[in-house]
Amino acid sequence: MIIKAGGQEALQLKTDVLAVGVFANKATKPQKKTTKKSASKPALSLAAWAKPLDKALGGLLLKEVEIQGFKGNSGQSLSLHTHGKIGAQKIILVGLGSSEGQDAQPYRLGAAQAVHLASQQGAKNVTIYLPNEGQIEAANQVEAMAEGCQLSTYKFNKYLSDKTPRVQVKKAHLIQTGVSASKASAAIRRGQQIAEGVALARDLVNETPEGLSPIEFAKRARAVGRKCGLAVTVMDEKKLAAERMQMLLAVSRASSPYRPARVVQLRYRPTGKIKKHIVFVGKGLVFDSGGLDIKPAAGMLNMKLDMAGAGCVLGAMSAIGQVKPKNVAVTAYLGCVENGIGGNAYHPGDILKSRKGITVEVNNTDAEGRLVMADCIDYALTKDKPDVLIDVATLTGACMVALGDTTAGVFSRQQDLAEAIKGAGQEAGEDFWQLPLNDRLFGQLKSDIADMKNTGERFGGSITAALFLEQFVDKRADWAHLDIAGPAMASKSNAYTPKGGAGFGAATLTRYVMGQS
Ligand code: BES
Ligand code: MN
Ligand code: ZN
C-alpha cells in the first residue's frame, strides 16, 4: 500500500473516501443532569474540525450523526455521500472508543478499520484523519496508523486459487497535526517496516509443515538478511554436533536425514558506537508431533505454529535491519528443528547431555522446546556474551491455560527488563503479563539419575518450563523468557489481524530495541 502524510489541509483532497475517527468520550457532551430542554439538543458535539466539514455539507454531517446515534464507540461507523460538496466522494466516521488509554492502539486499529470500511465502499484511495488527543506523541500515532493500514491488507493466499486481495484500497493519505511533514514520513516508513516484519512472521506461521522445513526456514532467513542488511550464518547438523548441542540434535533425530535441523544466526550491527548487545533466541519447531509421547490428533493439529517464536524473531530482525536503531547490536538465533517420530526417535527415559554439561532425563519427549532452546541459549551466551538475552517460544499449553489465547507470559528476575518488554508490548498493541519464576516449584524438576528432568507436574507447567531454561542462563546477562503459546495464532480476527498466524511479538521486540537506542 502507498501511504503518505499530510497536514490538515489534506482534508480538502480529492479522494474516494475521507475517513474521520471520533473518540467516544469526545463525541458526547459531558454528562450533565439533563433537563427535558437540553436533552432535545443534538447529543453530539464533534471537535472543531467537524464544523467546516459539516458546514460544507449543509449541516448534514451532524444531523446524520444524531439520527444514526453515532457515538464514536469502537466498532461503530457512519457513512455519508458528499454529492461533490467537498473533495471526498464519501465521508466515513469511524468510532475509536475511549481516548483514555495511553497507547497507540486506537490509531492502529482505527486506521485499519478505516481502510476496511473504505474498501467495502469500493474505494481505491482513502484519506484518514484520526484526531490527535495528545495521549501519546503525534509521530507514534502516525507510526501506528501506517502499521494498521499496511497490516489491514494482510492475507495468506499462497494456497488459494482466488487471489483477490483482502482490501481494494491501494493508497492511504494520513492526516496528522502536531508533527512535521518529514517526521510524519519517517514515522510512516517505520510503521510500514514493522508491519512488513509482522507480515513475514505471519507468513512463516501460516506456511504448512511440509512447506517449512528447517532448511527452508534458513533459506528464508538468508533472504531476509540480504534484503535488510543483516549478516546470516547457518549451522548444519555437523556443526551443531561439533558444538555439542546434543539436546537439540536428539529432538531432531527422528526427522533427520529428511528434514535435518538448522540453527540460524542473524546479526544487526549499527553504524557508530555500540552501547548494548541484545540477543534474541526463537523456538523454531517447524512441527511438533510430540515425538514418541505423541500428541492426540486435536493437540497436534495446529503444531505448525510451534516455530512462531523463531518467526517472530525473524520478523523483528527484518524490521530492525530496516529501521536501523542506533547504539544497539542485536544478534538473533532461530532454533529450527522438527519433533518427529520414527525408529530413530529419542525416547522417554533417555538422558541427554546438554551443551552446557547439565544432564537431563527426558520424561516427556513432548517437552522438546526447552531442550532445543536450552542449547541455543547456552550457545548464544557463551559466544556473544550479550547484555540482555530474550527468548521467545510457544513453550507450554499451560501458559495458555493461565493467560488465555491473546496474552503472552513474561518471565524475568530483572524487573526493569520485564517492564521494558511490557511497555514495548503496550506500544505495539500486544498483550503481555508477567508470571513468577517461583523457586518453590523447582523441586519438580529433580531427577534421581540425572541432574534434572525436562518436565514437572501439570500445575504450574509454564513456570517449571521457565525455571528449566533458567538453569542454562549465565547470571551475567539479563534474561527474559516470553511464552507466546497462546497468541501465536489468532483464533479471532480484527481489522489488522486475520485468523491464523498473528506474527505476535515481532512488533514488541522491534519496539523494545528501538527503545534501547
Ligand atoms: N509446543 C508445545 C506447547 C504448545 C501447546 C504451544 C499448545 C501452543 C499450543 C510444547 O512443545 C509442548 O508440547 N508442551 C507440553 C509440555 C508438557 C509435555 C510438559 C504441553 O504444554 O503440554
Ligand atoms: Mn511439544
Ligand atoms: Zn513444542
Side-chain angles (χ1 to χ4, degrees):
M1 182 180 282
I2 300 166
I3 309 178
K4 293 211 165 117
Q8 212 147 4
E9 76 289 344
L11 278 171
Q12 315 303 329
L13 277 180
K14 266 214 165 329
T15 174
D16 294 338
V17 164
L18 169 62
V20 179
V22 181
F23 281 107
N25 48 348
K26 294 289 161 177
T28 324
K29 270 191 172 168
Q31 289 291 305
K32 283 184 233 147
K33 282 193 186 107
T34 49
T35 63
K36 279 239 165 71
K37 212 173 169 192
S38 69
S40 68
K41 283 185 184 165
L44 282 180
S45 84
L46 295 177
W49 57 261
K51 293 200 175 116
L53 274 180
D54 187 49
K55 205 169 161 204
L57 293 169
L60 269 183
L61 182 61
L62 290 179
K63 211 170 263 169
E64 279 297 319
V65 161
E66 202 199 338
I67 293 167
Q68 297 194 28
F70 178 83
K71 292 191 163 49
N73 296 333
S74 91
Q76 227 184 358
S77 69
L78 177 158
S79 87
L80 200 74
H81 214 285
T82 65
H83 300 281
K85 289 188 174 121
I86 61 169
Q89 288 181 17
K90 281 178 185 160
I91 289 188
I92 300 178
L93 296 189
V94 184
L96 301 177
S98 158
S99 68
E100 264 134 43
Q102 296 290 310
D103 59 42
Q105 193 58 5
Y107 295 92
R108 185 178 294 110
L109 192 59
Q113 284 167 336
V115 171
H116 281 289
L117 291 164
S119 184
Q120 281 157 20
Q121 308 263 340
K124 294 274 185 283
N125 55 70
V126 57
T127 299
I128 305 177
Y129 177 63
L130 306 184
N132 181 352
E133 297 283 308
Q135 319 93 313
I136 57 164
E137 268 182 50
N140 294 342
Q141 295 173 13
V142 184
E143 189 182 297
M145 284 167 72
E147 193 186 337
C149 284
Q150 190 63 44
L151 285 176
S152 71
T153 69
Y154 180 82
K155 187 172 175 181
F156 184 67
N157 62 10
K158 182 173 171 186
Y159 297 100
L160 289 172
S161 307
D162 177 3
K163 306 277 190 209
T164 311
R166 185 153 186 245
V167 298
Q168 307 273 318
V169 174
K170 297 273 178 279
K171 200 169 163 184
H173 219 107
L174 309 183
I175 302 177
Q176 257 307 337
T177 53
V179 60
S180 70
S182 67
K183 284 218 168 114
S185 301
I188 287 175
R189 209 170 320 119
R190 279 197 306 276
Q192 285 191 289
Q193 287 161 342
I194 293 169
E196 192 187 311
V198 174
L200 169 74
R202 287 178 184 176
D203 277 346
L204 288 163
V205 174
N206 287 328
E207 184 54 272
T208 60
E210 190 59 29
L212 191 72
S213 64
I215 288 175
E216 172 65 20
F217 208 139
K219 209 168 119 194
R220 294 198 190 189
R222 279 195 197 282
V224 170
R226 270 194 302 277
K227 185 177 175 208
C228 306
L230 308 165
V232 179
T233 309
V234 177
M235 294 190 258
D236 62 13
E237 291 197 331
K238 207 172 138 207
K239 166 84 170 140
L240 296 171
E243 281 294 339
R244 309 177 321 282
M245 294 167 80
Q246 287 137 164
M247 297 205 298
L248 182 150
L249 288 169
V251 173
S252 168
R253 216 163 61 207
S255 292
S256 293
Y258 314 106
R259 291 156 64 84
R262 292 289 184 269
V263 173
V264 182
Q265 183 207 53
L266 300 107
R267 288 185 303 278
Y268 165 74
R269 296 294 178 267
T271 53
K273 214 174 151 201
I274 296 173
K275 293 192 185 146
K276 202 173 209 176
H277 187 180
I278 299 165
V279 162
F280 295 143
V281 180
K283 173 176 173 183
L285 263 289
V286 295
F287 191 71
D288 179 10
S289 70
L292 289 180
D293 288 310
I294 194 164
K295 286 181 182 293
M300 204 192 296
L301 186 59
N302 265 339
M303 277 306 132
K304 67 174 187 180
L305 69 66
D306 214 16
M307 37 52 64
C312 126
V313 166
L314 184 56
M317 291 306 283
S318 147
I320 290 163
Q322 297 184 66
V323 173
K324 301 193 196 311
K326 290 200 168 66
N327 302 324
V328 275
V330 188
T331 306
Y333 292 90
L334 318 175
C336 304
V337 180
E338 174 156 334
N339 188 18
I341 51 167
N344 198 24
Y346 80 129
H347 312 87
D350 280 346
I351 294 177
L352 307 175
K353 187 159 187 186
S354 63
R355 182 179 188 278
K356 194 177 171 71
I358 298 172
T359 57
V360 175
E361 179 189 1
V362 175
N363 56 359
N364 195 322
T365 62
D366 198 11
E368 83 299 334
R370 61 198 76 183
L371 303 174
V372 170
M373 294 295 280
D375 275 346
C376 291
I377 288 170
D378 179 50
Y379 181 92
L381 289 174
T382 55
K383 298 282 176 177
D384 298 310
K385 301 188 172 55
D387 302 299
V388 178
L389 186 146
I390 300 175
D391 79 76
V392 192
T394 48
L395 204 61
T396 64
C399 196
M400 256 170 118
V401 173
L403 300 176
D405 69 355
T406 56
T407 302
V410 188
F411 298 84
S412 182
R413 302 230 188 234
Q414 288 76 44
Q415 198 52 34
D416 53 342
L417 176 58
E419 297 300 338
I421 292 168
K422 287 190 277 183
Q426 189 169 11
E427 285 173 28
E430 296 183 320
D431 210 11
F432 288 85
W433 193 262
Q434 195 171 352
L435 294 170
L437 284 156
N438 185 350
D439 291 314
R440 291 175 191 231
L441 302 190
F442 187 69
Q444 293 184 17
L445 297 176
K446 285 233 158 70
S447 162
D448 295 329
I449 56 168
D451 298 338
M452 250 202 301
K453 295 193 289 194
N454 73 329
T455 69
E457 293 149 28
R458 195 159 68 89
F459 299 130
S462 67
I463 296 172
T464 46
L467 290 170
F468 179 92
L469 291 182
E470 191 182 28
Q471 296 308 301
F472 297 86
V473 175
D474 180 333
K475 299 288 176 286
R476 277 169 301 185
D478 287 355
W479 167 67
H481 158 60
L482 311 182
D483 194 331
I484 62 165
M489 278 237 192
S491 57
K492 285 196 193 78
S493 69
N494 70 25
Y496 67 91
T497 318
K499 274 188 202 171
F504 186 95
T508 295
L509 291 186
T510 305
R511 284 192 167 80
Y512 166 74
V513 171
M514 285 161 66
Q516 301 301 306
S517 83

